[in-house]
Amino acid sequence: MLPLVILIVFDDKQTYNVIEYIYSIAAIVVVFIDVQRYYVFYGYRKSDDRDAYVKDSKAFFCVLNFCFVIIGLFTFLGISLVKGWQIYILYIAVRSLYLSGISYYNYHYRLIDTPNKIFKISISIAGGTILVLLLGKFFESEKLLFIFFLLPFCWVLYVVFMGVKILLKSNIKYFQKYFFAVLKYSWPIILQILCYSIVNSYGKIYAFNNLSQQDMYVFSYTMRISLVIFMIHTSFWAYYNKRIYLEGLISNKIMKWYLFFLLLACAFSIVVVAVWNSFFISKEIPIDITFLVKVVMKCISLFGIKI
């Protein structure tokens, strides 16, 4: 929900629209970068030595991230030579690698039964970004964009540094074998998620390139508010993923808590927006309740609850 800070604190619709555009493209790019995530639980279940698997999986992730950074740098230089300086590509790369890192460590910490650790990373980066943004409140739009992606960039650099250290000590042939096992298992999932990501992100990309700034803002804000609901869905699914995967079922207790928090998130979003619009008429937030209801129904369907 960090992009909302740009609106609430700075009232900068242009930068907000740019961030939403970067986020949308990154959501498509990360499907290819995040190939290992789809294999993590499957490999864990099939592994004979699960402790060794967890360690090797983390090492492979760091090395893979380093390789993607090298590929990204060459891509950026190539496009910049043809079309001129393309700073947005760097921000897209940072966002994609950050999403991939958070996604992998989310699974990694659940494998070692310490799921709270991922929140320490994500909340620290989000909180630090908000603090830095507040300190730089009077910066210009371009600098504001740089500050927004600064801490995710630092964390990506740390992961890449870990990848270089591991790469210098590791057996390359083992990583090659592991990579092909990951790719063999993941490619159908990649195609499926890619289609979903393109459909989900196309609206913002189209709005940024073809519609007015105000239309892009209204569309993006409605989608952003709906993410509050979707975050509850993904948090529940991620938290209980290992248990559901190993047991092969969703208990009634999990279903009840899931529905409670999902509906609570929906009500919370509507109330917050209504209160905001009452006090800040000049910064009125557009919201489509019908769309939010559709999001809730879709989340319930994805969770596996028949309606």
Side-chain angles (χ1 to χ4, degrees), residues 36-55 57 107-108 110-113 178 185 242-243 245-246:
Q36 187 186 3
R37 174 173 67 94
Y38 317 121
Y39 181 80
V40 170
F41 280 120
Y42 176 78
Y44 181 81
R45 189 172 68 173
K46 294 293 184 180
S47 177
D48 295 325
D49 187 346
R50 291 182 172 179
D51 290 335
Y53 170 81
V54 171
K55 183 179 179 181
S57 175
Y107 280 73
H108 173 77
R110 296 188 193 291
L111 287 180
I112 60 177
D113 296 318
Y178 186 85
Y185 176 84
K242 180 182 175 183
R243 179 175 164 183
Y245 191 74
L246 294 177

Side-chain angles (χ1 to χ4, degrees), residues 20-300:
E20 289 287 6
Y21 177 71
I22 291 168
Y23 272 35
S24 298
I25 297 179
I28 297 173
V29 175
V30 76
V31 175
F32 299 100
I33 297 177
D34 209 15
V35 291
Q36 187 186 3
R37 174 173 67 94
Y38 317 121
Y39 181 80
V40 170
F41 280 120
Y42 176 78
Y44 181 81
R45 189 172 68 173
K46 294 293 184 180
S47 177
D48 295 325
D49 187 346
R50 291 182 172 179
D51 290 335
Y53 170 81
V54 171
K55 183 179 179 181
D56 292 341
S57 175
K58 181 180 177 181
F60 177 77
F61 165 75
C62 293
V63 172
L64 194 64
N65 248 33
F66 170 72
C67 294
F68 280 128
V69 166
I70 299 301
I71 293 170
L73 284 174
F74 278 107
T75 303
F76 168 71
L77 291 173
I79 294 176
S80 295
L81 285 173
V82 175
K83 294 188 174 182
W85 181 254
Q86 301 290 316
I87 190 64
Y88 288 173
I89 295 177
L90 287 180
Y91 293 134
I92 291 168
V94 169
R95 176 63 181 173
S96 301
L97 290 168
Y98 172 74
L99 285 176
S100 174
I102 291 296
S103 175
Y104 169 76
Y105 277 105
N106 183 29
Y107 280 73
H108 173 77
Y109 287 130
R110 296 188 193 291
L111 287 180
I112 60 177
D113 296 318
T114 55
N116 59 309
K117 286 188 177 181
I118 188 62
F119 297 111
K120 293 179 181 178
I121 297 174
S122 58
I123 292 174
S124 297
I125 293 175
T129 300
I130 292 172
L131 181 61
V132 175
L133 283 170
L134 291 174
L135 291 174
K137 185 176 180 180
F138 300 105
F139 286 0
E140 296 177 0
S141 182
E142 257 184 55
K143 293 181 180 178
L144 190 62
L145 202 59
F146 170 77
I147 291 172
F148 187 86
F149 289 100
L150 179 61
L151 291 185
F153 174 72
C154 293
W155 188 72
V156 167
L157 279 184
Y158 167 75
V159 173
V160 170
F161 175 72
M162 295 294 292
V164 173
K165 285 179 64 178
I166 293 168
L167 191 60
L168 294 174
K169 301 177 186 177
S170 301
N171 185 346
I172 300 299
K173 289 184 178 179
Y174 170 78
F175 284 128
Q176 288 177 342
K177 182 180 178 182
Y178 186 85
F179 175 74
F180 286 117
V182 169
L183 202 60
K184 183 179 179 181
Y185 176 84
S186 300
W187 74 264
I189 304 173
I190 292 172
L191 292 178
Q192 181 182 3
I193 296 179
L194 178 63
C195 293
Y196 171 79
S197 297
I198 291 173
V199 171
N200 195 46
S201 301
Y202 176 77
K204 291 182 185 178
I205 296 172
Y206 177 86
F208 184 84
N209 289 317
N210 297 281
L211 302 182
S212 67
Q213 179 177 296
Q214 180 62 22
D215 289 338
M216 167 68 179
Y217 160 68
V218 171
F219 181 83
S220 297
Y221 211 107
T222 303
M223 294 292 289
R224 182 60 52 185
I225 293 296
S226 69
L227 277 181
V228 174
I229 301 168
F230 194 69
M231 280 170 59
I232 297 296
H233 164 79
T234 53
S235 296
F236 256 83
W237 182 253
Y239 189 84
Y240 289 106
N241 203 340
K242 180 182 175 183
R243 179 175 164 183
I244 294 170
Y245 191 74
L246 294 177
E247 295 180 1
L249 55 85
I250 303 174
S251 68
N252 289 331
K253 183 179 179 181
I254 293 175
M255 283 187 187
K256 289 177 182 177
W257 278 112
Y258 171 77
L259 290 172
F260 171 76
F261 280 104
L262 194 71
L263 294 174
L264 183 65
C266 185
F268 175 78
S269 300
I270 294 170
V271 169
V272 168
V273 170
V275 171
W276 176 272
N277 289 344
S278 298
F279 286 93
F280 301 96
I281 298 174
S282 61
K283 298 181 181 180
E284 184 174 345
I285 297 173
I287 187 168
D288 187 340
I289 295 177
T290 304
F291 182 79
L292 293 184
V293 171
K294 290 179 180 178
V295 171
V296 170
M297 300 299 286
K298 184 63 178 178
C299 287
I300 293 173

